[in-house]
Amino acid sequence: MTVVANEIPEVIVEQTRLDALIPEIGDQPTYAVDTAVHRERTYYPKVALVQVNWGAGMALIDPLAVSLEPLAEVLAGPGLAIMHASSQDLEVLVRSCDTLPTRLFDTQIAAGFTGLRSPSLASLHDRLLGIRLPKGDRLTDWLRRPLGDTQLEYAASDVRHLLEIHRLLETDLAARGRLTWAEDECRDMLQRGRTQRDPETAWLKIKETRHLGKRSRGVAQAVAEWREQRAQDLDQPPRFILPDLGVVGIAQRPPQGVDDLRKVRGIDDRHVRGQHGEELLAVVQEGLERNVDLPKRPSNRALMEQLRPAVTLVSAWLNQYAHDIDMDPALLGTRADIEALLRGDADARLSEGWRAEHVGGPIRRLVDGQAALAFDNGRLLLEERDRAD
């Protein structure tokens, strides 16, 4: 394995320099992008560095010194953005540039279609290029200035070979006939990147709230919504405003006054001090009037009881099939995808596109009695049945 030492690329700290680079980057058919981010103490990710490789050059852009808004021109252009595990990077870009890439190739997603399961960027360098990335401190303070050479080289390494990795994966996927599959999945990732958090549904992220009664769910919804909005306004993590345990405790026993609030598990003085406590009590009273139902499935139907055992069997077959065709099973379909197909949901992922042919169709034939599952040398196989039987 090769350990490569490379020259640190230019660090952009002047707005005029970034402005001058934009046309050059935008002229390239592909460009690699990565970001260094902190969000431990903020609601929104705080970008500390943006790394860009456009083939003809590389740069590390310092967002503490320059505005990232000019990058919107590149993102909105025809070039293909190459990223790895892009979800947080997309969140950063839409917040900093008010736009997302027109086209995306996520190397982690793409690698899943070649049999790798959510591979790290380091493992892709090792597997595809025989290169060991420099070891960086995962907990480094990217907001510290000046950044040291070790930090800059570590940041640059995330995009230095990303265009080459893209080319290798694209060639592999084309040979397997799966390039369009990966492209479809990357388009879905872009679409998810455009989705904003809805404070009204924040309560559903707290697992315990699903076991509450209808009246208590209304309180949980109102309190979680208030917490989310306040977290956005103050740019703080929701847990800093109120812990999940406090949201559930308030919903279970709605307090009538500040003294009751202080008795709720997970609540302390900083959560109820001054106007904060009175505002929270008002939210509780409003929530008591909501009477919230649990959200219904898109099909408004529950899975038929007789099909429940099939879900476990089909999940086992799907994992075996993914292994046989050298693919990450999560990209083929999840347990929730299987249930959606068996329920007959109109938007079931396994009933659309390439998944319908390779997974959805065989599963339908299985539950319709046109196919059966069998073991062969420890492998679970789906076999078509002879209708004469």
Side-chain angles (χ1 to χ4, degrees):
M1 185 184 300
T2 303
V3 181
V4 180
N6 295 284
E7 184 179 347
I8 297 171
E10 177 184 7
V11 180
I12 306 297
V13 293
E14 297 290 341
Q15 195 69 50
T16 53
R17 178 58 180 148
L18 176 60
D19 293 344
L21 280 178
I22 294 303
E24 181 180 341
I25 302 171
D27 282 344
Q28 302 304 312
T30 58
Y31 59 95
V33 183
D34 189 50
T35 63
V37 170
H38 284 274
R39 73 179 312 163
E40 291 82 4
R41 303 186 65 83
T42 60
Y43 183 89
Y44 299 103
K46 190 170 182 63
V47 59
L49 199 66
V50 177
Q51 308 98 284
V52 185
N53 177 2
W54 58 98
M58 285 181 58
L60 306 179
I61 305 170
D62 184 353
L64 304 188
V66 302
S67 169
L68 298 177
E69 290 182 2
L71 280 176
E73 181 179 335
V74 175
L75 299 174
L80 178 65
I82 314 301
M83 301 183 183
H84 183 85
S86 61
S87 59
Q88 183 163 256
D89 299 315
L90 293 176
E91 187 179 357
V92 166
L93 293 175
V94 77
R95 182 161 174 81
S96 301
C97 306
D98 197 29
T99 191
L100 287 175
T102 304
R103 300 163 59 219
L104 170 69
F105 187 98
D106 188 311
T107 54
Q108 186 177 71
I109 290 174
F113 286 97
T114 69
L116 302 180
R117 298 192 182 197
S118 300
S120 67
L121 187 57
S123 68
L124 284 185
H125 278 73
D126 184 1
R127 183 184 180 96
L128 299 180
L129 303 175
I131 292 174
R132 179 181 297 164
L133 289 182
K135 292 184 177 180
D137 183 355
R138 185 174 59 86
L139 301 179
T140 192
D141 184 1
W142 291 107
L143 293 172
R144 179 181 63 83
R145 294 295 183 270
L147 292 170
D149 287 351
T150 301
Q151 290 174 298
L152 293 173
E153 171 51 30
Y154 178 73
S157 69
D158 285 343
V159 294
R160 190 181 300 279
H161 303 287
L162 204 52
L163 295 177
E164 186 177 357
I165 287 174
H166 157 249
R167 287 192 291 270
L168 292 171
L169 287 173
E170 187 177 55
T171 300
D172 189 353
L173 290 169
R176 296 170 186 259
R178 298 178 187 175
L179 181 56
T180 57
W181 301 4
E183 290 171 343
D184 287 346
E185 201 69 15
C186 289
R187 276 192 289 270
D188 288 344
M189 173 64 79
L190 266 180
Q191 188 58 44
R192 290 193 293 273
R194 294 185 176 94
T195 304
Q196 301 296 313
R197 299 186 195 180
D198 181 4
E200 191 173 327
T201 62
W203 69 285
L204 295 172
K205 299 176 185 176
I206 306 174
K207 184 178 179 180
E208 291 80 1
T209 60
R210 291 181 175 271
H211 305 297
L212 298 172
K214 180 179 288 191
R215 198 159 181 254
S216 294
R217 284 197 296 267
V219 175
Q221 184 192 59
V223 172
E225 181 179 347
W226 168 82
R227 179 182 73 162
E228 195 80 7
Q229 290 173 335
R230 189 173 179 86
Q232 291 175 354
D233 292 342
L234 298 176
D235 194 19
Q236 294 181 354
R239 69 180 185 279
F240 282 20
I241 308 299
L242 200 67
D244 286 357
L245 186 61
V247 175
V248 176
I250 289 171
Q252 287 176 329
R253 291 190 177 182
Q256 298 299 311
V258 173
D259 288 341
D260 291 339
L261 262 178
R262 288 195 176 96
K263 297 175 184 177
V264 175
R265 187 178 176 186
I267 302 292
D268 56 38
D269 281 343
R270 66 190 173 91
H271 299 126
V272 300
R273 192 180 298 120
Q275 186 179 351
H276 198 157
E278 296 299 328
E279 188 176 328
L280 183 51
L281 288 171
V283 170
V284 171
Q285 291 305 307
E286 189 269 327
L288 287 169
E289 305 298 323
R290 293 192 178 189
N291 292 321
V292 173
D293 291 317
L294 285 172
K296 296 179 180 179
R297 296 185 178 95
S299 65
N300 293 326
R301 293 187 297 170
L303 183 63
M304 289 188 294
E305 191 68 31
Q306 61 266 36
L307 288 178
R308 292 189 181 280
V311 176
T312 300
L313 284 173
V314 170
S315 295
W317 167 76
L318 188 146
N319 275 276
Q320 178 65 62
Y321 181 63
H323 180 269
D324 291 344
I325 67 172
D326 202 18
M327 187 168 166
D328 183 350
L331 288 172
L332 271 182
T334 64
R335 186 181 181 92
D337 290 330
I338 295 170
E339 292 182 356
L341 178 72
L342 297 182
R343 280 198 308 268
D345 291 4
D347 59 350
R349 254 199 342 161
L350 300 185
S351 64
E352 300 175 346
W354 58 271
R355 288 186 179 88
E357 176 186 354
H358 290 267
V359 182
I363 293 174
R364 288 188 187 279
R365 293 195 295 275
L366 176 66
V367 297
D368 289 343
Q370 300 172 21
L373 292 175
F375 278 101
D376 181 12
N377 293 324
R379 297 168 60 240
L380 186 61
L381 305 178
L382 189 148
E383 299 178 344
E384 302 294 330
R385 296 181 61 179
D386 186 347
R387 298 306 295 173
D389 294 342

